[in-house]
Amino acid sequence: MIEREVKHVLTIDHLRAVDLLSRDFGKPLIEHQVDIYYQHPSRDFGSTDEALRLRNVNGRTELTYKGPKVSAITKSREEITVEVSDLDKADLLLRKLGFVPVAKIEKERYNFVDGKFIISIDSVVGLGDFIEIEGINVSEDELLEYVEKLKKTYGFFGEKVIKSYLELVLLKRSEARSDTN
């Protein structure tokens, strides 16, 4: 399945954005997500633009492979997800196979569903607040058209972000290291 999404920095506090969206879309589904990303033992995922992630969402765990991005306009990529019953055992299995954890990302996510679109307000520890719009079985043009409609309705869309949260965390970590040298 190709996941298509667009992400922007929020220009207002995430709880204010949730309040404004709730007026039009109802009460959101709230998720506490903890993601652990892994590096392949013999392939550089940074170079191949892939990712392997274990995610715990409100006590449920899933393992996801993300393929390289297929668009420079949206964050579109192949995504394969399987549910696993035990986060600790899945983590141990990956480590035994040579996968190395490279980052842990924690966020609160507020999801609103509008037909074929999911609007997510994310408050990401150490990164800030974002809005992501994901299209389910939609073309890139349909997604971009929907995002433009939302941008006109709500004035809290800041800079567009093509990088994943993992890329942003690794970039921030790299910048912090170069500041200390």
Side-chain angles (χ1 to χ4, degrees):
M1 178 180 105
I2 299 292
E3 176 190 72
R4 295 186 194 287
E5 67 183 39
V6 173
K7 176 173 27 198
H8 287 262
V9 173
L10 275 176
T11 60
I12 62 174
D13 177 76
H14 71 282
L15 293 177
R16 178 75 181 125
V18 167
D19 182 52
L20 291 169
L21 290 169
S22 294
R23 295 174 188 180
D24 293 327
F25 301 106
K27 187 176 177 183
L29 171 66
I30 302 170
E31 297 178 337
H32 179 79
Q33 297 181 353
V34 179
D35 297 342
I36 304 168
Y37 286 89
Y38 295 86
Q39 179 57 51
H40 193 281
S42 61
R43 187 164 78 217
D44 179 11
F45 282 164
S47 298
T48 62
D49 193 27
E50 297 170 285
L52 183 66
R53 171 190 76 202
L54 259 181
R55 170 177 280 174
N56 185 278
V57 182
N58 298 343
R60 194 184 83 245
T61 302
E62 57 191 32
L63 178 66
T64 301
Y65 163 79
K66 292 179 172 243
K69 292 181 195 85
V70 295
S71 171
I73 300 169
T74 63
K75 217 178 105 220
S76 300
R77 62 194 329 169
E78 177 184 28
E79 195 171 287
I80 303 167
T81 299
V82 295
E83 195 165 330
V84 295
S85 62
D86 188 312
L87 176 98
D88 293 332
K89 285 183 181 174
D91 175 68
L92 179 61
L93 181 137
L94 291 170
R95 290 171 189 252
K96 292 282 186 183
L97 291 172
F99 287 86
V100 177
V102 292
K104 184 176 184 179
I105 299 170
E106 191 169 348
K107 66 179 168 283
E108 291 294 324
R109 173 169 277 182
Y110 302 82
N111 288 317
F112 299 90
V113 178
D114 184 19
K116 299 186 286 187
F117 301 95
I118 299 172
I119 305 163
S120 299
I121 301 295
D122 292 338
S123 183
V124 185
V125 175
L127 289 180
D129 298 338
F130 301 84
I131 182 169
E132 276 191 4
I133 298 92
E134 181 180 346
I136 310 299
N137 294 321
V138 299
S139 70
E140 190 167 80
D141 288 340
E142 287 174 293
L143 175 60
L144 293 171
E145 198 174 291
Y146 184 78
V147 169
E148 285 306 310
K149 181 180 122 189
L150 285 178
K151 286 169 72 174
K152 288 177 184 169
T153 304
Y154 304 97
F156 49 67
F157 282 68
E159 177 186 350
K160 184 176 179 181
V161 180
I162 295 292
K163 293 185 182 308
S164 67
Y165 292 133
L166 173 61
E167 290 169 314
L168 294 172
V169 163
L170 295 177
L171 180 63
K172 188 173 182 179
R173 188 184 296 167
S174 172
E175 289 170 351
R177 270 192 236 122
S178 63
D179 286 346
T180 58
N181 292 335

